[in-house]
Amino acid sequence: NLLHFLRNNYNNELVQDVKELYAISTSNDGGTMFWNINKYLQVQKLKITFYDENGRRKKYFKVPYKNEDGYVSCLFGEHLLSYNCYQDKTIILVESEKTAIVGYILMPQFAWLAYGGCNGLTKEKTSVLKGFRVLLIPDLSENAVSIATKKIIELRQNGIDIKLWDMTEGKTDEELKQESIYNNDLEDYFRKITFKNQLI
């Protein structure tokens, strides 16, 4: 599972810290359990994701508690916003839960939250970001960046102080595939490219 991968690749103390901070656990069938906990410390939803030994997400996942049953998702890591020590920190908003966790391990001076994929930047989920400085980092694909670029306009209109970091640097999906970085996330980027300050 993901925790096993993290322990093999990162400092064990930091992995234990991130496990406790984000309330990560492992299901009976080996999935990584990501609890969506809101800023009032209420559990909103659970997502169980499966990973291979290289930390790559498999194509299937489970969401035991459904919207139609009254379980509505929030940003993963939103509960951090309830802690005083995070009030003045910049929020890094990424797509996947794994990226947020690795980001925290590598750069704990920020508050790392995940929006759960391209369509997760809803007005309902992002309203909690008002009053914070936010940096949005979508994955490396034209579609992900296009959706984020459109959403960022809406978020700014809703009073959110947010900037976008486009890791594709304007490259097409075909160019990204040629460089073997298509659909990579921030962890992949950290591994391959020096972190640069490229905000728009």
Side-chain angles (χ1 to χ4, degrees):
N1 61 42
L2 181 60
L3 289 172
H4 181 72
F5 166 79
L6 293 175
R7 290 189 180 106
N8 285 338
N9 289 273
Y10 299 98
N11 179 282
N12 275 341
E13 289 186 12
L14 289 175
V15 174
Q16 184 61 29
D17 184 25
V18 83
K19 176 187 174 186
E20 294 176 4
L21 184 64
Y22 286 88
I24 305 165
S25 51
T26 304
S27 63
N28 291 334
D29 53 358
T32 302
M33 303 171 73
F34 297 115
W35 297 93
N36 283 11
I37 305 169
N38 67 20
K39 66 177 182 179
Y40 304 109
L41 304 183
Q42 299 167 325
V43 175
Q44 294 287 96
K45 212 164 189 178
L46 168 64
K47 182 178 178 182
I48 304 175
T49 308
F50 296 83
Y51 297 87
D52 64 21
E53 60 185 16
N54 296 314
R56 297 291 180 188
R57 186 177 63 234
K58 297 181 180 179
K59 291 186 177 180
Y60 60 94
F61 60 91
K62 298 179 181 178
V63 183
Y65 310 119
K66 307 297 183 183
N67 288 28
E68 54 265 31
D69 296 324
Y71 297 96
V72 181
S73 184
C74 63
L75 294 172
F76 175 73
E78 181 182 312
H79 62 286
L80 300 183
L81 305 184
S82 68
Y83 303 146
N84 288 334
C85 60
Y86 283 95
Q87 297 307 305
D88 295 324
K89 290 191 176 185
T90 296
I91 293 173
I92 309 291
L93 192 57
V94 294
E95 287 197 36
S96 79
E97 296 85 358
K98 176 196 168 189
T99 305
I101 290 164
V102 172
Y104 175 84
I105 291 172
L106 295 174
M107 305 179 77
Q109 66 269 36
F110 301 111
W112 292 83
L113 277 63
Y115 54 94
C118 289
N119 298 314
L121 288 170
T122 64
K123 182 177 180 180
E124 292 74 23
K125 286 171 69 170
T126 58
S127 61
V128 296
L129 301 176
K130 289 181 180 179
F132 293 91
R133 296 182 307 276
V134 184
L135 175 60
L136 173 61
I137 310 178
D139 287 351
L140 280 147
S141 79
E142 287 182 279
N143 185 52
V145 172
S146 175
I147 291 174
T149 301
K150 292 174 183 175
K151 282 290 183 179
I152 208 169
I153 297 171
E154 179 182 312
L155 297 182
R156 285 171 176 163
Q157 289 174 342
N158 291 334
I160 297 172
D161 178 9
I162 187 167
K163 295 180 179 179
L164 174 70
W165 179 20
D166 176 4
M167 294 190 297
T168 71
E169 299 178 336
K171 294 173 184 173
T172 66
D173 285 349
E174 190 56 40
E175 290 172 319
L176 296 172
K177 289 174 182 176
Q178 289 174 1
E179 295 182 24
S180 300
I181 57 174
Y182 172 71
N183 252 353
N184 279 190
D185 59 22
L186 191 58
E187 186 199 6
D188 299 309
Y189 195 88
F190 275 136
R191 288 174 183 268
K192 297 176 181 177
I193 304 173
T194 302
F195 188 84
K196 294 180 292 185
N197 185 22
Q198 294 188 4
L199 313 183
I200 64 171

